[in-house]
């Protein structure tokens, strides 16, 4: 095996189009709809379109935060670096750790549907066999692990194929659903209002699940060191990707409300999209949407691996986690140690999850737990951008709204959802969500005592915009560039 401790990730591999594709794939529209719609409907009923709408508004504030922070600090760790350099290194580490834990849990929760959807193409009854779904899902996961190990170029090529087919199928069924006449109920604009929520606690639980729908667009920020003109590209791609998946989520959630009965949704927890496809196109519809979900699931396993391994790479490079995680393969320019470690841990957890229950039960608890962790690191990023740009917020109304007020409201919303939803979640979801975050205190305190430079950061200030950026490809890995470069903002 050929590797180097000092080499960086391969620069300038991804274009703007590539990163938009990665943003859409990161949110996994078909997978999110298939795996999460039943959970969302179970939490808020007919208010599911409203939950997605009212979560999208603060989520856009978080996307604006990521966009502006990425302009002044290019780092594969993204929020891990930004929060550490603005709020506090401890909070920065927890932000990075929340992503690592949520992504690892997701790879377990996501591999199961990949397996069950593959089996459903051959026999619907096989899809309910958790043990067999585990084996097939593990095979897909290992394949994506190899693709990610092979480098950013190979990753993007695979992503273009999978996401391209997925989006084409979804677009076709969006039209077919609109033309469908045999409906379970009539469309009602009240589905976008607050009347169907069971109080504020019910709204919070719906918003937490909706946050899981959108999660993943920020993979563009973790790819910043490998993207051309990344100070502008990664943030723009994240915003475009978020807009695309919002439209898809709303169209299909309304279609589910109109076309499927409550009983159909409840009886097909992890397979709602296939049932919808069968309703609008009997015979072929179900199979085609199963293909879309399968490709979406496999594609988002890939982007999730990117996020967690790039975050661990940044942590290893900063020596806030074992330094071996910062090693980059000499030929493929990928953090191979981080990829192997994450892959091994996820596979062990994946196999262990086989004993926990059905696919639907595992998905429900995992989605809620991941929602808690997403709320933490998105919320911290929303606060970080306000601190980083504090000296420029009052220089124009646009700065005040798009860099200050909107991201701040997004952050406060995320924290409110986190606190409010604790009373609504199962003990298993809370144990996974909070316990996973608490586990991060151990490496954080250990490497803080070891004297990592991360805990003595150069503060991030947009008004000065003097950066000490990591340069992919530099042999020492610590070259200084962009000294005195004015901010893109």
């Amino acid at each position: 095996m050929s590797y180097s401790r000092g080499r960086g990730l391969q620069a300038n591999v991804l274009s703007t189009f590539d990163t938009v594709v990665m943003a859409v794939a990161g949110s996994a529209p078909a997978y999110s709809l298939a795996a999460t719609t039943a959970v969302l409907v179970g939490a808020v009923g007919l208010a599911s379109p409203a939950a997605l709408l009212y979560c999208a508004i603060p989520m856009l504030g978080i996307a604006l935060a990521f966009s502006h922070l990425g302009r002044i600090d290019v780092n594969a760790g993204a929020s891990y670096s930004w929060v550490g350099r603005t709020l506090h290194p401890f909070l920065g580490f927890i932000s990075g750790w929340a992503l690592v834990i949520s992504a690892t849990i997701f790879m377990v929760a996501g591999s199961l549907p990949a397996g069950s959807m593959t089996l459903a193409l051959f026999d619907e009854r096989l899809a309910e066999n958790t043990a067999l779904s585990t084996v097939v899902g593990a095979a897909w996961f290992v394949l994506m692990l190899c693709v990610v190990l092979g480098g950013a170029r190979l990753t993007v090529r695979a992503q273009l194929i999978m996401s391209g087919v997925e989006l084409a199928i979804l677009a076709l069924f969006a039209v077919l659903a609109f033309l469908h006449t045999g409906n379970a109920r009539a469309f009602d604009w009240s589905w976008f209002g607050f009347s169907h929520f069971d109080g504020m606690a019910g709204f919070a639980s719906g918003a937490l699940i909706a946050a899981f729908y959108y999660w993943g667009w920020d993979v563009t920020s973790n790819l910043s060191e490998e993207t051309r003109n990344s100070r502008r590209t990664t943030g723009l791609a994240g915003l475009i990707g978020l807009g695309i998946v919002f439209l898809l989520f709303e169209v299909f959630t309304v279609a589910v409300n109109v076309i499927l009965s409550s009983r159909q949704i409840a009886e097909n927890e992890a397979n709602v999209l296939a049932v919808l496809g069968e309703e609008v196109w009997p015979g072929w519809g179900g199979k085609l949407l199963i293909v879309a979900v399968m490709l979406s699931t496999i594609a988002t396993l890939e982007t999730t691996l990117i996020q967690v391994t790039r975050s661990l790479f940044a942590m290893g490079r900063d020596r806030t986690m074992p330094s071996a995680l910062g090693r980059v393969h000499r030929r493929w320019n990928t953090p191979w140690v981080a990829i192997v470690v994450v892959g091994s841990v996820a596979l062990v957890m994946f196999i262990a999850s086989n004993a926990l229950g059905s696919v639907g039960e595992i998905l429900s608890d995992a989605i809620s737990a991941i929602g808690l962790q997403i709320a933490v690191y998105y919320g911290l990023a929303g606060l970080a951008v306000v601190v980083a740009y504090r000296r420029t917020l009052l220089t124009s109304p646009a700065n005040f709204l798009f860099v200050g007020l909107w991201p701040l409201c997004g952050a406060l919303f995320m924290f409110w959802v986190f606190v409010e939803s604790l009373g609504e979640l199962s003990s298993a979801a809370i144990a996974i969500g909070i316990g996973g975050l608490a586990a991060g205190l151990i490496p954080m305190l250990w490497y803080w005592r070891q004297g990592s430079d991360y805990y003595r950061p150069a503060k991030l200030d947009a008004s000065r915009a003097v950066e000490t950026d990591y340069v992919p490809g530099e042999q020492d890995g610590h070259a200084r560039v962009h000294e005195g470069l004015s901010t893109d903002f």
Side-chain angles (χ1 to χ4, degrees):
M1 183 70 73
S2 174
Y3 61 82
S4 170
R5 185 184 298 275
R7 287 175 62 84
L9 303 171
Q10 189 170 5
N12 301 321
V13 176
L14 307 179
S15 67
T16 302
F17 178 74
D18 293 335
T19 49
V20 170
V21 171
M22 296 298 281
V24 174
S27 292
Y31 165 77
S32 297
L33 287 163
T36 319
T37 299
V39 181
L40 184 61
V41 171
V44 299
L46 294 175
S48 46
L52 288 167
L53 172 62
Y54 297 123
C55 189
I57 296 170
M59 187 64 75
L60 182 55
I62 302 302
L64 288 167
F66 271 71
S67 176
H68 288 96
L69 287 166
R71 294 181 183 185
I72 57 174
D73 183 17
V74 176
N75 193 294
S79 61
Y80 154 79
S81 173
W82 304 331
V83 173
R85 293 181 62 187
T86 53
L87 304 181
H88 193 279
F90 283 1
L91 292 176
F93 183 89
I94 291 299
S95 181
W97 182 259
L99 189 153
V100 168
I101 293 298
S102 59
T104 304
I105 294 171
F106 171 77
M107 285 185 285
V108 175
S111 296
L112 275 170
S116 62
M117 289 296 162
T118 304
L119 292 169
L121 289 173
F122 303 99
D123 189 336
E124 291 287 344
R125 290 170 296 180
L126 289 177
E128 292 302 313
N129 186 323
T130 305
L132 195 55
S133 296
T134 301
V135 173
V136 178
W140 279 121
F141 178 74
V142 171
L143 179 61
M144 288 302 101
L145 202 68
C146 294
V147 170
V148 171
L149 187 62
R153 282 196 178 91
L154 178 61
T155 299
V156 169
R157 286 170 184 164
Q159 198 61 256
L160 287 171
I161 296 170
M162 292 186 291
S163 296
V165 175
E166 173 201 355
L167 292 177
I169 293 173
L170 289 179
L172 170 64
F173 277 88
V175 174
L176 292 176
F178 180 76
L179 299 174
H180 186 67
T181 54
N183 300 330
R185 59 180 68 84
F187 172 77
D188 194 329
W189 283 105
S190 69
W191 296 344
F192 292 94
F194 286 94
S195 59
H196 292 285
F197 289 110
D198 184 16
M200 294 306 288
F203 173 74
S205 62
L208 188 74
I209 297 165
F212 176 82
Y213 271 83
Y214 294 113
W215 176 54
W217 54 265
D218 51 306
V219 66
T220 60
S221 297
N222 298 104
L223 287 166
S224 60
E225 295 184 21
E226 297 156 271
T227 304
R228 292 195 290 274
N229 192 22
S230 63
R231 290 178 185 275
R232 294 183 183 277
T233 300
T234 56
L236 176 63
L239 289 165
I240 294 172
L242 183 59
I244 291 171
V245 297
F246 166 72
L247 292 174
L248 287 171
F249 290 153
E250 287 291 9
V251 166
F252 277 90
T253 304
V254 169
V256 167
N257 273 5
V258 170
I259 295 171
L260 300 185
S261 66
S262 300
R263 181 177 177 181
Q264 284 176 299
I265 297 169
E267 289 178 351
N268 296 276
E269 286 180 317
N271 205 22
V272 170
L273 212 57
V275 176
L276 177 69
E278 195 63 32
E279 285 288 330
V280 300
W281 188 0
W284 279 96
K287 295 291 186 185
L288 280 174
L289 277 178
I290 286 173
V291 170
V293 174
M294 182 184 75
L295 290 173
S296 179
T297 309
I298 298 164
T300 200
L301 283 175
E302 184 187 78
T303 58
T304 306
L305 276 166
I306 290 282
Q307 281 197 284
V308 68
T309 55
R310 267 46 174 189
S311 296
L312 286 174
F313 164 74
M315 290 173 156
R317 184 173 64 193
D318 291 341
R319 289 169 174 74
T320 57
M321 290 284 279
S323 60
L325 295 171
R327 290 177 179 170
V328 175
H329 195 279
R330 187 175 297 278
R331 179 185 303 171
W332 299 320
N333 293 103
T334 51
W336 70 273
V337 176
I339 292 170
V340 170
V341 169
V342 167
S344 301
V345 171
L347 279 174
V348 170
M349 290 175 60
F350 185 35
I351 294 167
S353 71
N354 184 47
L356 297 179
S358 71
V359 174
E361 290 168 347
I362 294 168
L363 282 177
S364 181
D365 287 336
I367 288 166
S368 298
I370 291 170
L372 290 173
Q373 293 155 357
I374 294 167
V376 168
Y377 87 84
Y378 277 173
L380 288 173
L383 295 180
V385 75
V386 177
V387 174
Y389 281 85
R390 64 191 179 280
R391 301 182 197 276
T392 65
L393 293 180
L394 300 180
T395 57
S396 74
N399 281 18
F400 179 75
L401 176 61
F402 296 116
V403 191
L405 184 61
W406 204 336
L408 178 61
C409 289
L412 295 177
F413 179 83
M414 292 295 166
F415 292 136
W416 174 79
V417 165
F418 179 91
V419 173
E420 191 72 20
S421 62
L422 287 176
E424 298 293 308
L425 298 180
S426 68
S427 55
I430 293 174
I432 296 169
I434 304 299
L437 288 173
L441 297 177
I442 298 171
M444 183 184 77
L445 294 174
W446 172 263
Y447 285 98
W448 170 64
R449 289 182 63 88
Q450 297 297 311
S452 166
D453 288 342
Y454 173 81
Y455 295 105
R456 296 186 296 276
K459 289 295 183 181
L460 197 57
D461 187 342
S463 65
R464 289 184 289 122
V466 178
E467 303 305 317
T468 304
D469 284 344
Y470 181 74
V471 186
E474 287 289 337
Q475 292 302 315
D476 63 0
H478 300 284
R480 292 174 178 269
V481 293
H482 309 310
E483 288 290 350
L485 187 71
S486 61
T487 176
D488 288 338
F489 180 65

